[in-house]
Tab-separated table of all heavy atoms in Angstrom:
chain	number	residue	atom	x	y	z
A	1247	LYS	N	4.115	-25.470	2.197
A	1247	LYS	CA	5.309	-25.398	3.041
A	1247	LYS	C	5.914	-24.001	2.998
A	1247	LYS	O	5.471	-23.124	2.280
A	1247	LYS	CB	6.342	-26.434	2.588
A	1247	LYS	CG	5.882	-27.871	2.782
A	1247	LYS	CD	6.961	-28.855	2.368
A	1247	LYS	CE	6.515	-30.299	2.609
A	1247	LYS	NZ	7.562	-31.279	2.216
A	1248	ASN	N	6.981	-23.840	3.775
A	1248	ASN	CA	7.744	-22.589	3.844
A	1248	ASN	C	6.874	-21.436	4.334
A	1248	ASN	O	5.956	-21.624	5.120
A	1248	ASN	CB	8.384	-22.276	2.490
A	1248	ASN	CG	9.330	-23.388	2.045
A	1248	ASN	OD1	9.996	-23.982	2.881
A	1248	ASN	ND2	9.360	-23.687	0.762
A	1249	LYS	N	7.116	-20.228	3.818
A	1249	LYS	CA	6.450	-19.036	4.315
A	1249	LYS	C	4.958	-19.028	4.007
A	1249	LYS	O	4.171	-18.411	4.730
A	1249	LYS	CB	7.103	-17.768	3.740
A	1249	LYS	CG	8.465	-17.472	4.333
A	1249	LYS	CD	8.978	-16.106	3.872
A	1249	LYS	CE	10.309	-15.789	4.547
A	1249	LYS	NZ	10.818	-14.461	4.133
A	1250	LEU	N	4.557	-19.707	2.930
A	1250	LEU	CA	3.135	-19.729	2.574
A	1250	LEU	C	2.298	-20.354	3.686
A	1250	LEU	O	1.153	-19.960	3.906
A	1250	LEU	CB	2.931	-20.496	1.267
A	1250	LEU	CG	3.322	-19.764	-0.024
A	1250	LEU	CD1	3.184	-20.683	-1.224
A	1250	LEU	CD2	2.456	-18.514	-0.207
A	1251	MET	N	2.885	-21.317	4.395
A	1251	MET	CA	2.168	-21.956	5.490
A	1251	MET	C	1.863	-20.944	6.589
A	1251	MET	O	0.747	-20.902	7.123
A	1251	MET	CB	2.994	-23.110	6.069
A	1251	MET	CG	2.321	-23.827	7.223
A	1251	MET	SD	3.305	-25.201	7.866
A	1251	MET	CE	4.649	-24.314	8.660
A	1252	TYR	N	2.847	-20.088	6.911
A	1252	TYR	CA	2.657	-19.094	7.966
A	1252	TYR	C	1.739	-17.962	7.506
A	1252	TYR	O	0.968	-17.414	8.294
A	1252	TYR	CB	4.012	-18.547	8.414
A	1252	TYR	CG	4.852	-19.600	9.095
A	1252	TYR	CD1	5.926	-20.199	8.444
A	1252	TYR	CD2	4.536	-20.022	10.383
A	1252	TYR	CE1	6.666	-21.188	9.068
A	1252	TYR	CE2	5.279	-21.009	11.009
A	1252	TYR	CZ	6.346	-21.587	10.352
A	1252	TYR	OH	7.071	-22.567	10.973
A	1253	ILE	N	1.804	-17.625	6.224
A	1253	ILE	CA	0.855	-16.643	5.675
A	1253	ILE	C	-0.566	-17.192	5.791
A	1253	ILE	O	-1.509	-16.479	6.127
A	1253	ILE	CB	1.200	-16.309	4.209
A	1253	ILE	CG1	2.537	-15.548	4.145
A	1253	ILE	CG2	0.089	-15.477	3.564
A	1253	ILE	CD1	3.066	-15.347	2.744
A	1254	GLY	N	-0.712	-18.513	5.495
A	1254	GLY	CA	-2.004	-19.181	5.650
A	1254	GLY	C	-2.500	-19.131	7.084
A	1254	GLY	O	-3.696	-18.926	7.333
A	1255	ARG	N	-1.579	-19.287	8.041
A	1255	ARG	CA	-1.960	-19.223	9.457
A	1255	ARG	C	-2.463	-17.837	9.824
A	1255	ARG	O	-3.414	-17.693	10.602
A	1255	ARG	CB	-0.775	-19.609	10.329
A	1255	ARG	CG	-0.450	-21.096	10.309
A	1255	ARG	CD	0.791	-21.436	11.104
A	1255	ARG	NE	0.674	-21.063	12.502
A	1255	ARG	CZ	1.601	-21.331	13.426
A	1255	ARG	NH1	2.692	-21.991	13.075
A	1255	ARG	NH2	1.422	-20.945	14.673
A	1256	VAL	N	-1.830	-16.809	9.256
A	1256	VAL	CA	-2.254	-15.427	9.512
A	1256	VAL	C	-3.663	-15.204	8.974
A	1256	VAL	O	-4.535	-14.630	9.648
A	1256	VAL	CB	-1.273	-14.413	8.876
A	1256	VAL	CG1	-1.831	-12.999	8.968
A	1256	VAL	CG2	0.092	-14.491	9.549
A	1257	ILE	N	-3.917	-15.662	7.744
A	1257	ILE	CA	-5.234	-15.496	7.124
A	1257	ILE	C	-6.282	-16.298	7.887
A	1257	ILE	O	-7.407	-15.838	8.127
A	1257	ILE	CB	-5.195	-15.919	5.638
A	1257	ILE	CG1	-4.237	-14.989	4.860
A	1257	ILE	CG2	-6.587	-15.878	5.020
A	1257	ILE	CD1	-3.983	-15.427	3.431
A	1258	MET	N	-5.926	-17.523	8.285
A	1258	MET	CA	-6.819	-18.347	9.095
A	1258	MET	C	-7.149	-17.642	10.411
A	1258	MET	O	-8.307	-17.626	10.857
A	1258	MET	CB	-6.172	-19.703	9.375
A	1258	MET	CG	-6.900	-20.566	10.408
A	1258	MET	SD	-8.529	-21.140	9.845
A	1258	MET	CE	-8.045	-22.579	8.898
A	1259	ALA	N	-6.136	-17.046	11.035
A	1259	ALA	CA	-6.328	-16.333	12.301
A	1259	ALA	C	-7.317	-15.180	12.131
A	1259	ALA	O	-8.193	-14.965	12.979
A	1259	ALA	CB	-4.994	-15.810	12.820
A	1260	LEU	N	-7.189	-14.446	11.034
A	1260	LEU	CA	-8.131	-13.355	10.758
A	1260	LEU	C	-9.558	-13.888	10.656
A	1260	LEU	O	-10.495	-13.303	11.204
A	1260	LEU	CB	-7.748	-12.641	9.460
A	1260	LEU	CG	-6.685	-11.552	9.548
A	1260	LEU	CD1	-6.276	-11.097	8.150
A	1260	LEU	CD2	-7.182	-10.369	10.367
A	1261	GLY	N	-9.712	-15.006	9.945
A	1261	GLY	CA	-11.028	-15.621	9.810
A	1261	GLY	C	-11.607	-16.019	11.153
A	1261	GLY	O	-12.790	-15.776	11.440
A	1262	LEU	N	-10.781	-16.621	12.019
A	1262	LEU	CA	-11.236	-17.037	13.346
A	1262	LEU	C	-11.636	-15.832	14.199
A	1262	LEU	O	-12.631	-15.878	14.938
A	1262	LEU	CB	-10.132	-17.830	14.050
A	1262	LEU	CG	-9.828	-19.226	13.487
A	1262	LEU	CD1	-8.629	-19.842	14.200
A	1262	LEU	CD2	-11.045	-20.144	13.612
A	1263	ILE	N	-10.857	-14.748	14.082
A	1263	ILE	CA	-11.158	-13.534	14.845
A	1263	ILE	C	-12.518	-12.973	14.445
A	1263	ILE	O	-13.356	-12.644	15.297
A	1263	ILE	CB	-10.045	-12.477	14.648
A	1263	ILE	CG1	-8.772	-12.908	15.384
A	1263	ILE	CG2	-10.501	-11.103	15.147
A	1263	ILE	CD1	-7.547	-12.075	15.021
A	1264	PHE	N	-12.765	-12.883	13.137
A	1264	PHE	CA	-14.032	-12.320	12.664
A	1264	PHE	C	-15.216	-13.236	12.997
A	1264	PHE	O	-16.298	-12.766	13.363
A	1264	PHE	CB	-13.969	-12.064	11.153
A	1264	PHE	CG	-12.957	-11.010	10.774
A	1264	PHE	CD1	-12.101	-11.202	9.697
A	1264	PHE	CD2	-12.850	-9.833	11.491
A	1264	PHE	CE1	-11.171	-10.240	9.343
A	1264	PHE	CE2	-11.922	-8.861	11.151
A	1264	PHE	CZ	-11.076	-9.066	10.073
A	1265	LEU	N	-15.004	-14.561	12.883
A	1265	LEU	CA	-16.055	-15.507	13.263
A	1265	LEU	C	-16.381	-15.395	14.751
A	1265	LEU	O	-17.554	-15.411	15.154
A	1265	LEU	CB	-15.615	-16.939	12.932
A	1265	LEU	CG	-15.737	-17.405	11.482
A	1265	LEU	CD1	-15.119	-18.792	11.323
A	1265	LEU	CD2	-17.212	-17.430	11.040
A	1266	ALA	N	-15.332	-15.291	15.574
A	1266	ALA	CA	-15.529	-15.189	17.020
A	1266	ALA	C	-16.259	-13.905	17.391
A	1266	ALA	O	-17.115	-13.898	18.289
A	1266	ALA	CB	-14.168	-15.257	17.737
A	1267	MET	N	-15.929	-12.796	16.699
A	1267	MET	CA	-16.612	-11.529	16.960
A	1267	MET	C	-18.106	-11.653	16.663
A	1267	MET	O	-18.950	-11.182	17.433
A	1267	MET	CB	-16.000	-10.412	16.112
A	1267	MET	CG	-14.589	-10.012	16.500
A	1267	MET	SD	-14.493	-9.250	18.141
A	1267	MET	CE	-15.367	-7.732	17.869
A	1268	ASP	N	-18.445	-12.279	15.549
A	1268	ASP	CA	-19.859	-12.482	15.208
A	1268	ASP	C	-20.547	-13.373	16.244
A	1268	ASP	O	-21.688	-13.112	16.646
A	1268	ASP	CB	-19.974	-13.124	13.820
A	1268	ASP	CG	-19.921	-12.091	12.698
A	1268	ASP	OD1	-19.797	-10.892	13.013
A	1268	ASP	OD2	-19.988	-12.483	11.518
A	1269	ALA	N	-19.848	-14.424	16.661
A	1269	ALA	CA	-20.425	-15.358	17.640
A	1269	ALA	C	-20.643	-14.672	18.987
A	1269	ALA	O	-21.666	-14.894	19.654
A	1269	ALA	CB	-19.509	-16.574	17.807
A	1270	MET	N	-19.703	-13.824	19.400
A	1270	MET	CA	-19.858	-13.081	20.653
A	1270	MET	C	-21.056	-12.144	20.574
A	1270	MET	O	-21.815	-11.986	21.531
A	1270	MET	CB	-18.585	-12.299	20.987
A	1270	MET	CG	-17.463	-13.148	21.580
A	1270	MET	SD	-16.113	-12.165	22.283
A	1270	MET	CE	-15.302	-11.549	20.813
A	1271	ALA	N	-21.202	-11.485	19.420
A	1271	ALA	CA	-22.319	-10.554	19.231
A	1271	ALA	C	-23.658	-11.288	19.339
A	1271	ALA	O	-24.607	-10.803	19.965
A	1271	ALA	CB	-22.209	-9.861	17.878
A	1272	ILE	N	-23.730	-12.476	18.738
A	1272	ILE	CA	-24.967	-13.278	18.787
A	1272	ILE	C	-25.256	-13.718	20.229
A	1272	ILE	O	-26.394	-13.674	20.697
A	1272	ILE	CB	-24.851	-14.498	17.852
A	1272	ILE	CG1	-24.811	-14.040	16.381
A	1272	ILE	CG2	-26.007	-15.469	18.081
A	1272	ILE	CD1	-24.438	-15.130	15.401
A	1273	ALA	N	-24.200	-14.129	20.942
A	1273	ALA	CA	-24.370	-14.590	22.322
A	1273	ALA	C	-24.839	-13.466	23.246
A	1273	ALA	O	-25.516	-13.715	24.247
A	1273	ALA	CB	-23.059	-15.169	22.838
A	1274	LEU	N	-24.501	-12.233	22.903
A	1274	LEU	CA	-24.854	-11.094	23.760
A	1274	LEU	C	-26.275	-10.576	23.524
A	1274	LEU	O	-26.784	-9.807	24.333
A	1274	LEU	CB	-23.857	-9.946	23.540
A	1274	LEU	CG	-22.462	-10.114	24.159
A	1274	LEU	CD1	-21.546	-8.991	23.716
A	1274	LEU	CD2	-22.546	-10.152	25.680
A	1275	ILE	N	-26.907	-10.978	22.427
A	1275	ILE	CA	-28.242	-10.439	22.087
A	1275	ILE	C	-29.251	-10.625	23.233
A	1275	ILE	O	-29.885	-9.656	23.663
A	1275	ILE	CB	-28.765	-11.066	20.777
A	1275	ILE	CG1	-27.959	-10.532	19.586
A	1275	ILE	CG2	-30.247	-10.746	20.586
A	1275	ILE	CD1	-28.293	-11.200	18.259
């Protein structure tokens, strides 16, 4: 709860961004 939840969302967002970048790169091969 509290701010840790939003910090978790930020970290999760970073993970999704990096995963999506890898997936886009694979799709473009």
Side-chain angles (χ1 to χ4, degrees):
K1247 295 182 178 180
N1248 301 324
K1249 288 188 177 181
L1250 284 175
M1251 180 179 70
Y1252 294 104
I1253 292 172
R1255 287 176 60 176
V1256 172
I1257 297 172
M1258 170 67 84
L1260 276 172
L1262 290 175
I1263 288 169
F1264 295 136
L1265 280 174
M1267 291 294 293
D1268 276 0
M1270 282 192 287
I1272 292 169
L1274 285 173
I1275 289 174

